[in-house]
Amino acid sequence: MFNASLHPSSLSGAQHPLDAHGWDSGWADAFAPYAAQGLVPGRVIRVDRGQCDVATADGLVRADTAFVTPHDPLRVICTGDWAAVDPEGVGDPRYVRACLPRRTSFARSTSSKRSEGQILAANVDHAVITVSLAVELDLGRIERFLALAWESGAQPTVVLSKADLVPDPVGLSYLVEDVETVAPGVQVVPLSSTTGEGLDVLSAVVAGGTTVLLGVSGAGKSTLANALVGADVMDVQAARDIDGKGRHTTTTRNLFVLPGGGVLIDTPGLRGVGLWDAETGVGQVFAEIEELAGGCRFHDCAHEAEPGCAVAAAIEDGSLPVRRLESYRKLIRENRRIVAKTDARMRSEILKEWKRMGREGQTAMELKRGRNVR
């Protein structure tokens, strides 16, 4: 549950009461037009049922979001947003009148069939992807999280939680190496909230800016949040021994000020990690494939049977694992389908590609049957 005492209205020596929540000169400049209207700034620390908790210079306030409820689900007010709120004494309840433009946003596709995106956190600098070592590593899922994190504009870090369950240091180092192979440019931190291993490393990462914790249920996010905050701010339930899965102990996204500096957003466990217009993020996760593709003979090489394919050559000599290429293709296809649902031009391009592949398949079949093909 949210603990208001962890969100003081001011800090001794701070230049602004909201500095602890990430306020800076850039946000002050962006807020200037709203200050002229008599509104006050605040950071959204929790949203539920059309209302939100907002940390302001006057303390924690409850505000209604009716005036900032757009039709686009990616524009709804979210934990981490900076808001312009009615000043104290104006109306009951007070209202959020506007949100400042986001610097970054973490979004995924919903599990519904309506082709909608879902905003998970706003104005995030670091994305900590929490992966439990209580179960077998799912490298494909890690790649998905990384693609969304890179696309959001945040710097990802992968935390291998429950590292105390792997007492063999050599075995643990192999697991770290496995994750490092699918996470180029990303720090991988083995961590145990029980023994404290790795907690100092992660604390240094999250000490500046805003960090969001991501992962599936049972990954240990709530336990990790408690360890970073230094208090039991989140309820924790044990994961099932049979498969390491946990129940959703976190049901809302909560923002906490960290004692060592920085801000932390904890999120509910994600059952599905659907991409949402994450082509750039996918490219960063699979940077080695994108680099190899630059050496292919044809700029539109599909990396299948084309002559002069540098990617196929890397598969052949063993420098590129087959699993990586298959995962890359899967995420690219998925992302194109998501984009095509809202982009008519992309739908047309995909349809043309399907027709081209169909013609090539028909030609190959006729050649196999010994027919003359003009």
Side-chain angles (χ1 to χ4, degrees):
M1 297 294 293
F2 169 73
N3 187 343
S5 66
L6 293 171
H7 298 268
S9 60
S10 64
L11 291 177
S12 59
Q15 295 181 351
H16 190 282
L18 289 174
D19 281 356
H21 290 82
W23 184 259
D24 58 31
S25 60
W27 291 121
D29 290 342
F31 190 78
Y34 301 106
Q37 299 173 29
L39 300 174
V40 298
R43 192 156 197 195
V44 178
I45 61 176
R46 182 180 176 183
V47 180
D48 63 278
R49 294 187 296 274
Q51 293 189 322
C52 61
D53 294 326
V54 184
T56 71
D58 300 323
L60 185 68
V61 303
R62 187 74 169 164
D64 197 295
T65 64
F67 286 99
V68 287
T69 306
H71 296 297
D72 183 354
L74 291 176
R75 301 302 303 168
V76 298
I77 195 166
C78 179
T79 301
D81 272 323
W82 283 98
V85 185
D86 285 332
E88 188 174 9
V90 177
D92 184 22
R94 292 161 73 170
Y95 284 92
V96 174
R97 298 292 176 175
C99 283
L100 299 187
R102 293 164 178 160
R103 293 178 180 174
T104 63
S105 60
F106 195 100
R108 66 162 181 171
S109 65
T110 63
S111 56
S112 70
K113 298 180 180 179
R114 296 197 301 267
S115 306
E116 293 180 346
Q118 178 187 24
I119 182 74
L120 299 180
N123 301 311
V124 172
D125 302 293
H126 310 284
V128 173
I129 301 163
T130 311
V131 181
S132 173
L133 291 180
V135 295
E136 185 177 354
L137 286 176
D138 186 337
L139 298 179
R141 179 180 288 146
I142 294 173
E143 289 165 340
R144 283 175 170 274
F145 272 114
L146 287 170
L148 291 176
W150 282 122
E151 189 68 32
S152 74
Q155 170 65 46
T157 298
V158 177
V159 164
L160 301 181
S161 67
K162 307 181 184 181
D164 54 292
L165 299 180
V166 187
D168 177 20
V170 175
L172 181 59
S173 69
Y174 286 151
L175 292 172
V176 171
E177 288 178 8
D178 287 344
V179 176
E180 288 176 338
T181 60
V182 303
V186 175
Q187 185 175 11
V188 180
V189 182
L191 185 145
S192 170
S193 298
T194 301
T195 66
E197 175 190 359
L199 193 58
D200 56 338
V201 177
L202 184 61
S203 295
V205 171
V206 304
T210 297
T211 299
V212 61
L213 287 180
L214 302 161
V216 300
S217 298
K221 297 188 308 303
S222 295
T223 301
L224 182 54
N226 290 341
L228 290 171
V229 175
D232 290 335
V233 294
M234 302 301 298
D235 292 333
V236 176
Q237 292 182 352
R240 298 197 301 251
D241 291 335
I242 188 170
D243 56 10
K245 293 182 179 179
R247 286 177 286 178
H248 289 288
T249 55
T250 304
T251 56
T252 58
R253 300 170 189 92
N254 302 275
L255 183 149
F256 305 99
V257 172
L258 297 175
V263 172
L264 181 72
I265 298 176
D266 191 20
T267 62
L270 301 175
R271 290 190 178 92
V273 193
L275 301 184
W276 182 259
D277 197 3
E279 182 177 355
T280 300
V282 173
Q284 287 186 262
V285 175
F286 298 92
E288 79 277 30
I289 296 179
E290 298 262 311
E291 183 177 354
L292 284 168
C296 292
R297 182 182 301 176
F298 304 107
H299 74 278
D300 59 347
C301 183
H303 317 310
E304 293 175 348
E306 295 89 345
C309 175
V311 174
I315 293 289
E316 184 69 23
D317 65 25
S319 59
L320 177 66
V322 174
R323 193 208 67 81
R324 282 285 280 176
L325 180 58
E326 291 176 345
S327 183
Y328 172 73
R329 286 171 171 163
K330 181 178 180 180
L331 294 187
I332 287 293
R333 287 196 300 268
E334 177 181 327
N335 190 71
R336 292 188 72 190
R337 285 197 299 270
I338 289 295
V339 174
K341 289 180 179 180
T342 56
D343 188 327
R345 184 176 62 82
M346 177 64 77
R347 285 198 300 271
S348 176
E349 290 178 358
I350 291 178
L351 181 59
K352 290 179 181 178
E353 179 68 10
W354 285 346
K355 290 181 177 178
R356 181 187 67 80
M357 293 175 64
R359 289 194 300 270
E360 291 179 353
Q362 182 178 5
T363 299
M365 183 60 69
E366 291 178 349
L367 286 172
K368 186 175 182 180
R369 292 173 178 172
R371 297 179 181 177
N372 293 323
V373 179
R374 294 183 179 179

